[in-house]
Amino acid sequence: MRTPTIAGPTSGALPAREHLPVNIAGRPVLDVVIPVYNEEKDLEPCVRRLHEHLLRTFPYGFRITVADNASTDGTPGVAAGLAAEVPEVRSVRLEQKGRGRALRTVWSGSDAPVLAYMDVDLSTDLNALLPLVAPLISGHSDLAIGSRLARSSRVVRGPKREFISRAYNLILRGSLAARFSDAQCGFKAIRRDVAERLLPMVEDTGWFFDTELLVLAERAGLRIHEVPVDWVDDPDSTVHIVSTATDDLKGVWRVGRALATGSLPLDRLARPFGDDPRDRELTGVPGGLARQLVGFCVVGVLSTLFYLALYSLFRLGVGPQFANAAALLVSAVANTAANRRLTFGVRGRDRAVRHQAQGLVVFAIGLALTSGSLAALGAASGDPAHSTELAVLVVANLAATVLRFLLFRLWVFPERSASRNDPRNDR
């Protein structure tokens, strides 16, 4: 079941990253959320320790928000007492459990430009907090995570939890192609402008919330900064490993299926390049053309190799014309899909059928060029060698490739080509 989504922009791409304003009166720069459930014993020393550390080391305004996940002990009273006593502390009460639900609720209502969270046990050394949020404030990164698996991290925990953590991250790398190193370390931060777009796409309300957030951000091309941390396991942790692992695997399957079908509007998270001289408009050179050419060439080389392999395979059983048509048809569908996603940045299923239909028209033009070349070769030499056929097809495909790029750019994906060059438009 989907939870209520965050209010905020729902269309258009994100603007270029900039240094966040840090001197707005009455508004904190950082909001650190501590989700808790039945933590009446540990909550007060945790909050006081964190508050003292921020007062001593953090150069900007901050807030500490205790998010109570429907606790049944004295936790709500402890949180309320801290909020009444300490100006930088507030408490939020939720009537349903779920760490993801708590983070979504607090982050949705926060006015701080940087949103973070950490576990109540403070297993992570607080000296990593400023390095965690600094790249978000400066505009360098979109999200930041503490990593217990980095080479320079120092971690104290039992072999069971160590094995589970590493196995889970290996699963993410193998199934979802995740490149971040530690999905579930309870020490993360995100820019609020990114959260406004990203949170509505995250369905999980429990422990998988972190993973889903990171996978979608990474797939959308957002920058994730990793901070090596010193971390000491809490032997009194109330996390149920088996049920949590089962829910996580279900989440991996759900997210993987959504990414495979293109049902998530990840283009809402696209960012233009920042103030880089290499990205400025050059006189007489259409913006984005160079990047599109590189992407198209890479896809073209791979498609040509795929096409030649298919042609050689089909040629074992049928004549050259049928082998050429079948190989070109299969490779054309794959080529259109790859260029749609990689070269012209079109995500999701919107207009996918139309793009493939237009791609088939482009395929027909390529078929006419290559088939005509084969027919001319047959008329000239009668029974040409297989190597000669391949050489003629390579030349014909080069001509077809140039024409294909022009048709893709000007006809199949014209709006995307223009919008990618203008940061004010949707990607």
Side-chain angles (χ1 to χ4, degrees), residues 114-127:
V114 176
L115 311 169
Y117 95 89
M118 61 181 62
D119 294 334
V120 68
D121 55 19
L122 296 187
S123 296
T124 304
D125 181 11
L126 292 178
N127 287 326

Side-chain angles (χ1 to χ4, degrees), residues 66-236:
V66 179
D68 175 27
N69 289 314
S71 293
T72 57
D73 63 356
T75 299
V78 175
L82 287 167
E85 179 183 348
V86 184
E88 291 85 5
V89 176
R90 69 166 178 160
S91 65
V92 175
R93 166 76 176 180
L94 287 84
E95 299 302 329
Q96 292 179 288
K97 291 178 62 177
R99 181 177 69 172
R101 178 178 288 109
L103 294 176
R104 181 196 302 274
T105 300
V106 177
W107 285 355
S108 299
S110 179
D111 59 348
V114 176
L115 311 169
Y117 95 89
M118 61 181 62
D119 294 334
V120 68
D121 55 19
L122 296 187
S123 296
T124 304
D125 181 11
L126 292 178
N127 287 326
L129 183 55
L130 185 55
L132 183 80
V133 301
L136 308 187
I137 295 174
S138 70
H140 175 271
S141 300
D142 299 294
L143 298 92
I145 64 174
S147 176
R148 299 163 296 185
L149 303 181
R151 286 183 179 273
S152 57
S153 297
R154 296 184 299 178
V155 176
V156 178
R157 62 178 167 183
K160 181 179 179 181
R161 284 184 176 271
E162 180 75 11
F163 173 77
I164 292 174
S165 177
R166 292 187 178 274
Y168 179 65
N169 283 281
L170 284 175
I171 290 173
L172 294 181
R173 289 176 177 268
S175 60
L176 299 178
R179 295 191 297 272
F180 48 84
S181 65
D182 192 351
Q184 292 191 312
C185 178
F187 196 70
K188 296 183 175 70
I190 184 172
R191 286 172 60 109
R192 183 164 59 92
D193 59 344
V194 175
E196 288 176 346
R197 304 292 183 90
L198 186 53
L199 289 183
M201 303 181 197
V202 180
E203 293 188 23
D204 192 80
T205 59
W207 292 98
F208 187 70
F209 175 89
D210 300 47
T211 301
E212 187 170 358
L213 188 81
L214 292 174
V215 169
L216 298 187
E218 187 175 74
R219 286 298 186 94
L222 297 179
R223 182 174 294 158
I224 300 174
H225 178 72
E226 296 199 18
V227 178
V229 297
D230 296 342
W231 192 86
V232 180
D233 189 16
D234 177 15
D236 298 324

Side-chain angles (χ1 to χ4, degrees), residues 7 26 38 41 72 76 79 141 200 217 230 241 270-271 305 308 350 387:
N38 289 349
K41 176 182 176 182
T72 57
S141 300
D230 296 342
I241 296 178
R271 277 204 189 275
L305 294 175
L308 292 175
D350 183 37
S387 59

Side-chain angles (χ1 to χ4, degrees), residues 326-338:
L328 198 58
L329 176 61
V330 175
S331 61
V333 172
N335 181 276
T336 299

Side-chain angles (χ1 to χ4, degrees), residues 314-365:
F314 294 154
R315 190 68 177 84
L316 297 176
V318 297
Q321 292 288 2
F322 185 84
N324 173 63
L328 198 58
L329 176 61
V330 175
S331 61
V333 172
N335 181 276
T336 299
N339 275 307
R340 181 177 188 270
R341 172 65 178 83
L342 301 176
T343 304
F344 298 97
V346 181
R347 297 179 175 88
R349 292 178 289 184
D350 183 37
R351 297 185 294 177
V353 175
R354 173 186 171 184
H355 291 157
Q356 281 293 348
Q358 292 173 308
L360 290 178
V361 174
V362 178
F363 149 76
I365 297 173

